[in-house]
Amino acid sequence: MDFTFTEEQQAAVEAARAVFSGVAPDGVPSPALTPGAVAEEFDRPLWAKLADADLLSLVVSPQYGGAGLDPIALCLILRESAKVLARVPLLETSAVAMAVERYGSAELSDEVLPRVGRGELVLTVGANGRTGHDPAELAVAARRDAAHGDGHGEGWVLDGVQTGVPWAQSADRIAIPAHTDDGRAVLALVPRDRGGLALAEQISTSGERFAEVSLDSVRVGSRELIAAEGAWEWLRQLLATGTCALALGLGEAVLSMTSEYTGKREQFGFPVATFQAVAVQAADRYIDLRAMEATLWQAAWRLSPARGSAGVGGPLPVSGDVAVAKIWASEGVRRVVQTAQHLHGGFGADTDYPLHRYHAWAKQLELSLGPAAAHEEALGELLAAHPLG
């Protein structure tokens, strides 16, 4: 079996490294020293550089000006972005764009995808529901509105709340999952300035601006709503897998920082990295990262079929592989940053040193992924429903 990435995927990584090489993790005030958000906006100059390097159009088909690469390529780029704590909505915009192309109408794709690739349109998504614990599609109700169609069919009305929506104040459109009267999950791309949509300020653990998005009889046209079967489920799994890629990149950067520090820090005339207790802890975290990597690529591969199908086949549904990746990413990134803090000693808490920033971002990723126990329970239910053998 060949696990080598394709030439196109490797070229995308090289382009991403070139762009992210100029990004400083401490480019904004420390979240530990800032009572509110660390910045009003995401990193717009970096966003422009990503567009110029054709990295925002990476997952968009050539007919829309992109390269047509798959979720594996997206995860490779996300991995690089997390190493420098890049403050851009790359995951949200790219994932929603891929869902639009796979499941949306031709009119919606024509309207959205070329502008995404040029960096002109920023997308985000409400994936946390009302509380962060319940399925996101149940937090918003969508009902048909025959009196307010858009020329392509009858319109829709949305009511509900989505919490913890990243970059919502800066996004041009917010993808809102919702449920219909007959229990189907649909996905609406709602302009941020649409009447009835309100944003309430929230601050993430990493110090970034999030928002609670309230929808009070928000009207959307049929062309703005994706009703295809499986669209929201696929997007939800892609967002989770992309978050695992962010956790992996962050963890690799933190372990590298720890290796460099313990190689220089001396006690009793020797680098602390030569002490057995230190070496064993670092080795355990390296094993965590390799497990995070293996399960990430399995999930990303399962989500990377030919366009138009739901996923690569396997003994379990794709959600099983995504659950395994989330188990390792959620637990692994926490263990990596905790060990890094321990091995750095008091220096790790110094706000002039970037490690505490990585710790804050890691905690936000862990919260986004959810507890490993919940994913283990979901995986157990899948195994019970799909016995292997």
Side-chain angles (χ1 to χ4, degrees):
M1 187 173 293
D2 185 4
F3 292 99
T4 306
F5 296 114
T6 66
E7 291 184 6
E8 291 84 0
Q9 291 165 346
Q10 293 172 352
V13 172
E14 292 302 318
R17 286 175 178 167
V19 173
F20 292 128
S21 64
V23 178
D26 55 357
V28 293
S30 166
L33 303 176
T34 308
V38 296
E40 290 297 308
E41 269 272 17
F42 65 85
D43 193 340
R44 290 279 184 178
L46 176 58
W47 193 249
K49 292 178 182 178
L50 290 170
D52 291 341
D54 294 328
L55 291 173
L56 297 184
S57 61
L58 191 72
V59 294
V60 174
S61 287
Q63 69 186 92
Y64 301 110
L69 298 189
D70 56 17
I72 295 176
L74 174 59
C75 287
L76 285 166
I77 305 308
L78 292 170
R79 179 188 191 179
E80 297 302 317
S81 74
K83 293 178 181 179
V84 295
L85 305 183
R87 302 179 51 259
V88 286
L90 181 59
L91 169 58
E92 295 79 11
T93 295
S94 299
V96 173
M98 294 180 78
V100 167
E101 182 166 356
R102 283 179 181 272
Y103 296 100
S105 66
E107 293 83 2
L108 184 61
S109 295
D110 290 339
E111 180 182 350
V112 168
L113 299 181
R115 296 180 62 201
V116 165
R118 295 193 297 266
E120 300 170 358
L121 194 69
V122 177
L123 307 175
T124 190
V125 55
N128 296 315
R130 187 182 185 91
T131 65
H133 300 287
D134 301 321
E137 69 274 15
L138 300 183
V140 176
R143 67 180 189 275
R144 294 184 182 275
D145 180 23
H148 295 85
D150 60 357
H152 299 269
E154 59 186 349
W156 294 79
V157 176
L158 306 179
D159 289 282
V161 175
Q162 293 284 352
T163 193
V165 181
W167 320 106
Q169 294 87 345
S170 302
D172 299 295
R173 292 199 181 196
I174 304 172
I176 301 291
H179 67 279
T180 63
D181 294 337
D182 56 0
R184 292 185 301 115
V186 296
L187 187 67
L189 257 68
V190 186
R192 177 169 47 85
D193 57 358
R194 182 64 53 85
L197 187 149
L199 304 179
E201 184 89 349
Q202 294 178 323
I203 307 298
S204 72
T205 304
S206 56
E208 301 297 338
R209 293 184 78 193
F210 278 27
E212 180 183 81
V213 178
S214 300
L215 302 107
D216 183 9
S217 298
V218 174
R219 287 186 168 84
V220 296
S222 61
R223 65 184 295 172
E224 297 173 314
L225 188 132
I226 301 174
E229 183 72 24
W232 164 239
E233 179 65 12
W234 186 85
L235 175 56
R236 185 184 67 80
Q237 292 173 348
L238 179 58
L239 289 167
T241 304
T243 305
C244 293
L246 293 173
L248 174 62
L250 185 149
E252 289 175 330
V254 167
L255 188 61
S256 178
M257 292 170 60
T258 305
S259 175
E260 181 178 359
Y261 176 78
T262 56
K264 295 177 179 179
R265 177 75 166 89
E266 291 189 359
Q267 286 185 353
F268 312 111
F270 297 94
V272 297
T274 63
F275 299 168
Q276 185 178 31
V278 172
V280 167
Q281 290 183 71
D284 285 344
R285 300 295 78 82
Y286 176 82
I287 292 171
D288 277 336
L289 290 173
R290 297 290 68 80
M292 291 166 64
E293 183 177 19
T295 54
L296 164 66
W297 299 133
Q298 172 70 10
W301 173 70
R302 288 292 305 276
L303 287 167
S304 301
R307 292 179 181 268
S309 58
V312 174
L316 289 178
V318 179
S319 56
D321 294 283
V322 175
V324 173
K326 289 196 291 185
I327 290 168
W328 277 103
S330 178
E331 291 281 295
V333 74
R334 174 179 54 80
R335 288 194 292 257
V336 168
V337 294
Q338 285 182 345
T339 298
Q341 289 283 10
H342 175 64
L343 296 182
H344 275 81
F347 192 56
D350 187 344
T351 54
D352 290 329
Y353 186 67
L355 181 58
H356 76 287
R357 296 173 181 267
Y358 285 87
H359 202 151
W361 277 66
K363 180 55 67 175
Q364 180 61 48
L365 293 174
E366 182 187 354
L367 293 171
S368 298
L369 289 166
H375 307 318
E376 290 166 352
E377 182 178 349
L379 182 60
E381 292 175 353
L382 281 173
L383 289 169
H386 301 81
L388 306 179

